[in-house]
Amino acid sequence: SAYHRMRKSYWTTACIEKYRAAMALVRPICQKWDQKSENWVRVPNHPIEQLIDAPNEYQGTAEFFSLIIENLWLTGNALITIKDTRSSGTIALEAMNTDLVKLDLGTKNGQLVEGYEVYKQNWGLSPGNSKSKFVSRKDMIHIRLVNSERLDWGISPLESVKDVQETESDAVSYNR
């Protein structure tokens, strides 16, 4: 898993942990562009702010964003499920560990990704286990960092740097 690979490097772990801690302290706010003043103007008490303040019943804002940042750095992807709990009239957001999600690729309806097969820790499931939960595209926010080799999955900034270093090293070796 990406998490375990990160833990092999003290410096990588320390850098990501510091970045996560710093980002978890940032309070997101909603703004809109005001054409008259040509400035961003805060929109107080916007419903999305309230949702971010309490994304779900067991992840606070700091943990929610911390998991998103960690997954973006490690895998180039952040996955957030959208849970519509109509009975209570609310929506919940849950940041997912990307190591526990498998893409369901397909071409139905012209979509590259049909949905996601989720193996959730608190469900006691793991990839390879026959028990999982399918989450459709409409119920998942998938944030991807640009990956020129795959349109369906992002690439970690750490992986990009590693690839560049390997290419430069191979070029130096070749030219010797």
Side-chain angles (χ1 to χ4, degrees), residues 13-161:
T13 302
C15 289
I16 291 177
E17 290 297 328
K18 293 290 183 190
Y19 191 81
R20 279 179 53 184
M23 289 304 295
L25 296 174
V26 175
R27 186 181 187 291
I29 60 170
C30 289
Q31 296 180 324
K32 69 177 182 177
W33 181 253
D34 182 40
Q35 290 184 343
K36 274 187 180 177
S37 67
E38 294 187 358
N39 284 313
W40 287 100
V41 180
R42 186 165 190 275
V43 181
N45 300 319
H46 192 281
I48 196 72
E49 270 189 20
Q50 296 165 11
L51 182 59
I52 289 171
D53 282 341
N56 60 58
E57 59 191 43
Y58 59 92
Q59 282 178 331
T61 305
E63 184 182 1
F64 178 76
F65 280 104
S66 182
L67 189 56
I68 290 170
I69 294 299
E70 177 182 287
N71 279 292
L72 280 172
W73 270 97
L74 294 177
T75 69
N77 299 277
L79 298 168
I80 304 162
T81 56
I82 305 165
K83 296 183 178 184
D84 186 357
T85 52
R86 294 192 194 280
S87 59
S88 64
T90 62
I91 293 177
L93 299 177
E94 181 184 349
M96 306 294 296
N97 181 340
T98 55
D99 283 344
L100 300 174
V101 178
K102 179 182 168 193
L103 294 179
D104 183 8
L105 301 176
T107 54
K108 298 177 200 166
N109 305 320
Q111 301 298 328
L112 183 61
V113 177
E114 292 297 322
Y116 303 83
E117 204 65 35
V118 178
Y119 306 87
K120 199 166 172 190
Q121 286 172 327
N122 57 349
W123 291 337
L125 305 174
S126 62
N129 186 330
S130 61
K131 295 180 182 177
S132 62
K133 180 179 180 182
F134 179 81
V135 177
S136 77
R137 286 180 53 254
K138 69 178 183 59
D139 295 326
M140 182 78 77
I141 299 169
H142 186 168
I143 303 168
R144 295 183 287 277
L145 299 180
V146 177
N147 182 350
S148 60
E149 294 178 6
R150 287 185 67 179
L151 298 175
D152 60 335
W153 198 248
I155 188 167
S156 161
L158 303 173
E159 190 72 23
S160 295
V161 169

